[in-house]
């Protein structure tokens, strides 16, 4: 069993508030690569409700992934959510594996407070724990090895991803599984031709985000460039690659109010993060899309949708 540590360790890269921050990576996932990189400046208590709402929107995708994982991991004793954010996915694991203890691990104490409250509200608090601290070192506080480690869009926030995988593998029980959610396809929300501006806006935004993501990776402490061949990286960590599968979130137009709010927040973050990388025409179009008073905005238009794919890689520790 893991201790329910409510203290908060200092975090420099605080990986894993995926239950999101920015697009594409993270449990909330918006378009492109996730997380509002620069965690040390984040007010996690303020961000928590948004991260929860985003993760809840992605619940159909996570449930697909868990159904797939349950075919490989049967009756786990300990499931660890590495980079759990506010615990939406952690609690889904508690529901998927009713005999398991679940531990949510994150660098942000306020998010783990939400995770504990959520677990109590859902009636799984008696088998739910949290650990606050830097990844992967804080996993040393687990009292026994995990049967399933889930790392969703948290590894790309660590400078040396290969070393991080090796560290995670060391916390698996013999025969245990490491499941890594990284990559896939960035979220799409809008048709190619919006009727305003130059067609292909989202494709150009994603291209700018790729550059932004590469700069983020390059700036991490101790960063090591690696080919992001996840099956090969898992094998190099001493594990046996056991599967790869992508899962789709498909919310067609017209979307719910919750999905529309997600699109608005995602595009707003992208505007703040990469707007300077767009030309003046695209910035003007994006500003119109985010203006609640504009008939062409995502607040009002009926062709808004959410379509995204996340890829999960699994590997087992030899028995």
């Amino acid at each position: 069993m893991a201790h329910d540590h409510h203290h908060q360790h200092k975090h420099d890269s605080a990986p894993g508030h995926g239950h999101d921050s920015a697009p594409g990576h993270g449990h909330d996932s918006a378009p492109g690569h996730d997380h509002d990189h620069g965690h040390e400046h984040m007010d996690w208590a303020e961000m928590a409700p948004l991260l929860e709402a985003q993760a809840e929107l992605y619940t159909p995708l996570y449930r697909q992934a868990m159904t797939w994982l349950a075919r490989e991991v049967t009756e786990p004793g300990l499931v660890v959510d590495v980079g759990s954010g506010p615990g939406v996915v952690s609690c889904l694991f508690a529901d998927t594996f009713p005999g398991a203890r679940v531990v949510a691990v994150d660098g942000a104490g306020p998010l783990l407070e939400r995770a504990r409250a959520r677990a109590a509200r859902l009636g799984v608090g008696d088998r739910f724990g949290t650990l606050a601290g830097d990844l992967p070192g804080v996993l040393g506080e687990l009292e026994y090895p995990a049967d399933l480690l889930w790392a969703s869009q948290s590894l790309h926030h660590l400078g040396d991803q290969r070393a991080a995988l090796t560290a995670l593998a060391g916390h698996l029980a013999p025969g245990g599984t490491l499941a890594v959610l990284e990559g896939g396809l960035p979220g799409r929300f809008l048709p190619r031709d919006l009727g305003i501006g130059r067609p292909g806006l989202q494709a150009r935004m994603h291209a700018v985000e790729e550059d932004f993501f590469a700069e983020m990776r390059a700036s991490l402490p101790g960063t090591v460039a690696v080919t992001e061949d996840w099956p090969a990286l898992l094998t190099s960590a001493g594990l046996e690659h056991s599967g790869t599968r992508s899962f789709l979130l498909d919310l067609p137009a017209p979307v719910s109010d919750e999905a529309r709010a997600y699109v608005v927040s995602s595009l707003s973050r992208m505007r703040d993060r990469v707007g300077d990388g767009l030309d003046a025409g695209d910035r003007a179009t994006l500003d119109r899309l985010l203006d609640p008073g504009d008939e062409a905005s995502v607040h009002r238009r009926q062709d808004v949708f959410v379509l995204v794919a996340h890829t999960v890689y699994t590997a087992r520790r030899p028995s």
Side-chain angles (χ1 to χ4, degrees), residues 26-43:
H27 284 65
D28 89 323
S29 301
H33 295 287
D34 159 274
H35 295 311
D36 292 331
H37 309 287
H39 296 88
E40 65 276 11
H41 303 302
M42 297 298 294
D43 183 337

Side-chain angles (χ1 to χ4, degrees), residues 69-283:
L69 282 173
R71 296 171 188 166
E72 175 174 327
V73 185
T74 57
E75 300 183 359
L78 176 62
V79 177
V80 179
D81 185 356
V82 181
S84 64
V88 175
V89 175
S90 310
C91 288
L92 290 176
F93 273 115
D95 183 58
T96 300
F97 299 111
R101 177 164 182 80
V102 176
V103 175
V105 184
D106 204 275
L111 298 185
L112 292 178
E113 291 176 14
R114 301 285 291 229
R116 290 190 293 272
R118 186 180 193 89
R121 189 167 63 248
L122 294 176
V124 298
D126 60 334
R127 53 189 180 89
F128 190 93
T130 61
L131 282 175
D134 294 340
L135 295 173
V138 69
L139 295 178
E141 298 183 34
L142 293 171
E143 293 182 1
Y144 53 84
D147 300 294
L148 173 60
L149 281 171
W150 166 264
S152 176
Q153 297 170 339
S154 51
L155 287 170
H156 66 257
H157 291 283
L158 298 173
D160 191 338
Q161 296 177 102
R162 187 189 303 274
L165 283 173
T166 300
L168 293 182
H171 295 288
L172 285 174
T177 291
L178 172 60
V180 174
L181 188 157
E182 288 285 353
L185 296 174
R188 295 299 294 261
F189 311 136
L190 297 162
R192 183 191 65 88
D193 193 332
L194 301 168
I196 59 173
R198 183 160 57 105
L201 173 65
Q202 271 207 277
R204 292 190 294 280
M205 291 173 69
H206 291 154
V208 174
E209 278 226 309
E210 288 293 341
D211 291 338
F212 177 87
F213 183 76
E215 292 171 4
M216 181 280 295
R217 284 283 314 150
S219 69
L220 290 173
T223 190
V224 176
V226 294
T227 300
E228 290 178 353
D229 178 346
W230 292 103
L233 288 170
L234 289 162
T235 299
S236 72
L239 303 176
E240 298 172 349
H241 175 235
S242 53
T244 299
R245 185 167 171 182
S246 295
F247 301 93
L248 188 69
L249 180 68
D250 181 9
L251 305 177
V255 294
S256 65
D257 290 344
E258 292 79 10
R260 189 179 296 276
Y262 166 70
V263 171
V264 170
S265 66
S266 296
L267 291 177
S268 296
R269 285 198 308 273
M270 291 179 76
R271 176 66 174 87
D272 293 340
R273 196 165 54 251
V274 303
D276 290 344
L278 301 171
D279 64 29
D282 282 346
R283 285 197 301 274

Side-chain angles (χ1 to χ4, degrees), residues 3-88:
H3 296 292
D4 291 346
H5 289 294
H6 298 351
H7 62 281
Q8 181 173 354
H9 300 242
K10 177 182 178 295
H11 63 285
D12 40 13
S13 55
H17 313 298
H19 305 308
D20 206 27
S21 316
H25 298 290
H27 284 65
D28 89 323
S29 301
H33 295 287
D34 159 274
H35 295 311
D36 292 331
H37 309 287
H39 296 88
E40 65 276 11
H41 303 302
M42 297 298 294
D43 183 337
W44 293 114
E46 180 180 340
M47 283 290 293
L50 175 62
L51 302 188
E52 282 185 342
Q54 292 172 341
E56 287 167 354
L57 191 71
Y58 272 64
T59 289
L61 184 153
Y62 295 128
R63 289 229 180 254
Q64 294 172 51
M66 289 179 192
T67 298
W68 179 66
L69 282 173
R71 296 171 188 166
E72 175 174 327
V73 185
T74 57
E75 300 183 359
L78 176 62
V79 177
V80 179
D81 185 356
V82 181
S84 64
V88 175

